[in-house]
């Protein structure tokens, strides 16, 4: 079966949901009696407040709003807050979760994804993206940067974009290469940009770039193709995401030399940076994404500790991300928040105080800023898009909630997310997606994942390529 068809541009997914017999909200409604965490210092928080939404945007936030005669959402015993913003996630390989074995040299993340990448069809991309997006939504994530570093064709890209629309997730699709070690298909990027950049309210388009080879960076040489790709994206107004790690030493100086740094650049993984590099990146207003739940088990040894303390001191623009739910084994954004706290508090060489409110700010408004969307989402601010989640306060694992910030970071989990609203449209109610059959999404991902697993095991049994070669590709 092919990728799910997109809703016609300009059509209302909300209306489609209602037509299908699913619960839906009208164009105007008010969320009442919730514990409001606005993440906006000017708006403030309310132990029992209201959020008025009209035509997909927040109209007002406060106590006892003068709103009558419109539909009401009862948020009694719930926290009402902006949705999480995941600034970096590889949705194309979410369906490989059952095949990846941590950092095992044969079946670890890099050898597994390197084998699977060229075998992925658009149908695989669709099934995997829907699977990853559904789990993210049920965790309270309303916006995601889909860092697709296996964009094998425009058809593959469209399959993942349509999955985002079908599930109702606000998405930046970051068009990448057809596997690691390949170059960016600029023609494909332009085609996707033309089709989607202004074609749907939930979709924006960016690119992700593979960094120059380590020997080039180490020698101080040039990579004309990387420079051309970065300039191509900037000229089109497309934001750029890229990984930083133990193979990218010298990248900051290289990009600075070619005047490639700026707020349109999202640096992913904050490890291994020198003091000079940190100062340069912050001075250029570069964005940062931390993936602590992946970085702690996978890359701390290779790339060093997560430099949250150093970047926070410089006032850097920080965000959080899942990275690869296939390797992390979950897309639960509460786990990501806790992992940041764990990694920071484990360090004895810095001031280890970190407030839960700051972590929540990074998880919401910080992510919005990293994706250039902070004027539209990330806080419950009048005028912004209504990307809102409701989290139950009376569940066994989180009650009693005295300080909601503390409880969300220390005790919260995906199981507590009751309601998710994106762009003013209800997509999750009582912990269930209202427009898609979750069991069907899982079944299709499982079917695709098992079929891929058989292919991978066959390759392992018959390959002549060494484990070292496979891991070197990562």
């Amino acid at each position: 079966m092919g990728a799910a068809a997109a809703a016609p541009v300009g059509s209302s997914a909300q209306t489609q949901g209602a037509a299908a017999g699913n619960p839906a909200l009208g164009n105007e409604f008010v969320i009442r009696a919730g514990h409001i965490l606005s993440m906006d210092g000017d708006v403030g928080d309310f132990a029992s407040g209201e959020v008025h939404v009209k035509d997909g945007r927040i109209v007002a936030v406060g106590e006892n709003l003068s709103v009558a005669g419109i539909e009401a959402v009862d948020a009694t015993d719930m926290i009402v807050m902006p949705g999480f913003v995941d600034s970096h996630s590889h949705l194309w390989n979410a369906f490989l979760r059952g095949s990846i074995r941590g950092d095992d040299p044969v079946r670890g993340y890099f050898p597994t994804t390197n084998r699977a990448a060229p075998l992925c069809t658009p149908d695989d991309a669709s099934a995997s993206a829907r699977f990853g997006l559904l789990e993210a939504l049920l965790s309270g994530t309303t916006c995601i940067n889909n860092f697709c570093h296996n964009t094998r064709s425009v058809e593959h890209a469209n399959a993942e974009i349509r999955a985002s629309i079908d599930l109702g997730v606000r998405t930046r699709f970051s068009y990448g290469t057809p596997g690691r070690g390949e170059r960016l298909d600029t023609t494909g990027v332009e085609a996707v940009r033309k089709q989607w950049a202004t074609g749907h309210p939930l979709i924006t388009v960016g690119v992700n770039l593979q960094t120059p080879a380590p020997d080039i960076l180490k020698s101080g040489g040039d990579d004309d193709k990387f420079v051309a790709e970065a300039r191509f994206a900037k000229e089109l107004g497309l934001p750029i995401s890229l990984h930083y790690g133990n193979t990218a030493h010298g990248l900051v100086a290289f990009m600075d030399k070619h005047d490639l740094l700026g707020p349109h650049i999202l640096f992913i993984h904050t490890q291994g940076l020198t003091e000079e590099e940190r100062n340069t990146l912050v001075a250029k207003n570069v964005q940062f994404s931390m993936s602590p739940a992946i970085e702690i088990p996978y890359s701390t040894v290779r790339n060093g500790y997560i430099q949250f303390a150093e970047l926070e001191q410089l006032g850097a623009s920080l965000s959080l991300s899942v990275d690869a739910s296939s390797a992390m084994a979950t897309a639960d954004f509460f786990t990501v928040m806790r992992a940041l706290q764990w990694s920071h508090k484990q360090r004895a060489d810095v001031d280890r105080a970190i407030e839960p409110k700051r972590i929540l700010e990074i998880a919401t408004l910080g992510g919005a800023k990293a994706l250039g969307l902070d004027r539209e989402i990330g806080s419950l601010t009048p005028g912004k898009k209504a990307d809102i989640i409701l989290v139950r306060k009376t569940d066994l694992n989180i009650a009693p909630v005295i300080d909601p910030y503390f409880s969300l970071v220390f005790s919260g989990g995906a199981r507590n997310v009751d309601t998710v609203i994106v762009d003013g449209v209800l997509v999750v109610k009582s912990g269930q997606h209202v427009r898609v059959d979750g069991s069907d999404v899982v079944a299709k991902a499982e079917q695709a994942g098992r079929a891929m697993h058989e292919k991978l095991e066959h390759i392992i049994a018959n390959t002549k390529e060494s484990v070292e070669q496979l891991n070197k590709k990562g």
Side-chain angles (χ1 to χ4, degrees):
M1 190 173 84
V9 173
S11 70
S12 169
Q14 182 174 343
T15 301
Q16 290 179 339
N22 293 320
L25 294 171
N27 289 334
E28 185 175 14
F29 58 90
V30 61
I31 301 171
R32 288 203 165 114
H35 195 142
I36 310 293
L37 305 182
S38 73
M39 308 313 298
D40 182 325
D42 293 330
V43 173
D45 297 343
F46 303 91
S48 181
E50 301 178 343
V51 181
H52 178 196
V53 175
K54 184 176 182 180
D55 296 330
R57 290 190 180 272
I58 298 168
V59 177
V61 180
E63 296 177 308
N64 303 315
L65 299 179
S66 298
V67 181
I70 64 172
E71 187 172 5
V73 176
D74 183 7
T76 302
D77 292 327
M78 296 190 197
I79 296 166
V80 181
M81 58 175 284
F84 299 124
V85 180
D86 181 348
S87 58
H88 151 240
S89 198
H90 307 300
L91 295 175
W92 76 267
N93 64 45
F95 78 138
L96 296 177
R97 179 182 299 169
S99 299
I100 292 172
R101 295 289 179 268
D103 56 359
D104 182 89
V106 176
R107 294 176 176 83
Y109 176 77
F110 287 115
T112 298
T113 54
N114 282 330
R115 292 185 191 103
L119 304 177
C120 278
T121 67
D123 284 351
D124 289 330
S126 175
S128 185
R130 285 166 62 85
F131 180 59
L133 288 163
L134 178 59
E135 187 179 18
L137 263 180
L138 297 182
S139 167
T141 299
T142 54
C143 179
I144 196 164
N145 176 21
N146 181 1
F147 187 119
C148 185
H149 51 11
N150 190 37
T151 317
R152 310 205 71 79
S153 69
V154 170
E155 187 178 6
H156 284 75
N158 285 337
E160 295 197 34
I161 291 171
R162 287 172 178 142
S164 291
I165 295 170
D166 194 26
L167 272 291
V169 185
R170 192 178 303 281
T171 301
R172 175 202 285 180
F173 182 79
S174 290
Y175 195 116
T177 58
R180 299 183 182 95
E182 305 288 342
R183 305 309 309 196
L184 188 68
D185 174 15
T186 56
T187 301
V189 171
E190 291 193 87
V192 168
R193 171 181 172 271
K194 183 177 180 180
Q195 181 175 355
W196 297 108
T198 58
H200 197 281
L202 294 182
I203 304 300
T204 55
V205 177
V207 302
N208 68 77
L209 300 181
Q210 294 194 44
T211 58
D215 56 338
I216 291 176
L217 294 175
K218 187 176 181 179
S219 67
D222 267 329
D223 183 335
D224 293 338
K225 291 182 179 179
F226 175 86
V227 173
E229 289 170 353
R231 288 178 176 165
F232 159 81
K234 188 174 182 180
E235 287 170 5
L236 288 182
L238 300 179
I240 297 169
S241 304
L242 50 84
H243 287 130
Y244 182 87
N246 62 341
T247 61
H249 294 302
L251 177 63
V252 176
F254 175 86
M255 293 184 70
D256 194 32
K257 178 177 71 173
H258 292 283
D259 193 28
L260 300 177
L261 298 175
H264 66 296
I265 299 290
L266 176 62
F267 247 62
I268 296 162
H269 303 310
T270 61
Q271 301 158 275
L273 296 165
T274 67
E275 181 179 4
E276 181 180 3
E277 288 175 329
R278 290 194 299 269
N279 289 332
T280 297
L281 292 171
V282 174
K284 297 288 185 177
N285 295 315
V286 167
Q287 310 299 310
F288 295 92
S289 177
M290 302 173 288
S291 308
I294 283 289
E295 292 159 355
I296 291 172
Y298 278 88
S299 59
T300 298
V301 173
R302 292 182 302 167
N303 298 331
Y305 55 81
I306 300 165
Q307 296 181 5
F308 166 73
E310 290 83 353
L311 290 167
E312 180 81 339
Q313 186 176 27
L314 291 173
S317 179
L318 301 172
S319 65
L320 287 170
S321 57
V322 166
D323 194 338
S325 66
S326 58
M328 180 176 156
T330 179
D332 188 342
F333 218 75
F334 293 88
T335 298
V336 174
M337 291 195 295
R338 272 193 286 280
L340 174 61
Q341 177 181 244
W342 295 335
S343 67
H344 178 66
K345 284 185 173 293
Q346 190 178 35
R347 294 184 61 185
D349 59 327
V350 296
D351 179 1
R352 286 173 287 178
I354 181 172
E355 294 298 324
K357 184 174 183 178
R358 175 57 182 147
I359 296 178
L360 208 66
E361 181 183 48
I362 293 170
T364 54
L365 192 56
K369 185 176 181 182
L371 301 185
L373 296 173
D374 51 312
R375 292 186 178 182
E376 291 281 64
I377 63 170
S379 64
L380 303 186
T381 301
K384 285 191 177 184
K385 294 282 191 176
D387 288 8
I388 304 169
I389 64 174
L390 278 60
V391 182
R392 292 186 298 273
K393 297 196 294 182
T394 54
D395 289 349
L396 179 64
N397 65 298
I398 198 172
V401 175
I402 309 300
D403 177 340
Y405 292 104
F406 181 93
S407 294
L408 287 166
V409 172
F410 279 77
S411 304
R415 62 189 282 192
N416 308 126
V417 177
D418 180 271
T419 302
V420 178
I421 297 167
V422 182
D423 211 46
V425 177
L426 180 70
V427 290
V428 173
K429 179 63 179 174
S430 300
Q432 299 294 322
H433 203 288
V434 302
R435 296 207 312 267
V436 302
D437 180 350
S439 61
D440 181 64
V441 171
V442 173
K444 285 184 170 58
E446 182 176 11
Q447 182 181 18
R450 287 185 181 278
M452 181 63 73
H453 183 74
E454 291 181 8
K455 296 174 185 176
L456 298 177
E457 289 299 305
H458 178 77
I459 292 172
I460 290 171
N462 295 279
T463 187
K464 294 181 180 180
E465 190 171 25
S466 70
V467 170
E468 290 76 14
Q469 287 173 314
L470 282 166
N471 277 290
K472 187 175 182 181
K473 289 182 180 179

